[in-house]
Amino acid sequence: MENDKIQKNQILTLENRSRFSVGLVENVESFSDEEIVLKTELGNLQITGSGLKLEDLSIENGNALLTGRIDLMRFTQVKEKHSFFGSLFR
């Protein structure tokens, strides 16, 4: 097969800036009541606001539910780590 990688759809749902659900979650990178960073299959997702709570998290199913005042959601690239010698031979 030419393309063995299956494209997955990531669904993000924001209700009234106070309830946010997201799929394809792999891990929680960091958490506070002002910022949550989730590692997803499509990159890191940063959510900022106030009174943020992680109401439900299922790594097995890849789903997360957050509540609180949500001010910002953005994806950031996951930087690959290269060894010193790997960087030399690029």
Side-chain angles (χ1 to χ4, degrees), residues 5-20:
K5 193 170 186 174
I6 297 172
Q7 179 72 26
K8 294 184 180 181
N9 291 325
Q10 184 170 44
I11 298 173
L12 309 169
T13 305
L14 178 62
E15 300 173 33
N16 300 320
R17 291 184 66 180
S18 63
R19 185 176 173 91
F20 176 66

Side-chain angles (χ1 to χ4, degrees), residues 3 6 8 14 32 34-35 40-41 50 62 67 86 89-90:
N3 186 4
I6 297 172
K8 294 184 180 181
L14 178 62
S32 74
E34 294 181 347
E35 178 184 67
T40 76
E41 292 183 24
S50 59
T67 60
F89 297 109
R90 279 204 205 174

Side-chain angles (χ1 to χ4, degrees), residues 19-30:
R19 185 176 173 91
F20 176 66
S21 63
V22 59
L24 300 181
V25 175
E26 295 180 338
N27 196 18
V28 177
E29 296 292 307
S30 65

Side-chain angles (χ1 to χ4, degrees), residues 37-48:
V37 179
L38 301 173
K39 180 180 179 184
T40 76
E41 292 183 24
L42 300 179
N44 283 351
L45 176 59
Q46 176 189 23
I47 302 106
T48 61

Side-chain angles (χ1 to χ4, degrees), residues 60-76:
E60 296 83 24
N61 296 327
N63 298 316
L65 173 65
L66 293 78
T67 60
R69 180 180 167 82
I70 297 166
D71 295 327
L72 171 79
M73 299 176 299
R74 72 176 178 176
F75 280 95
T76 59

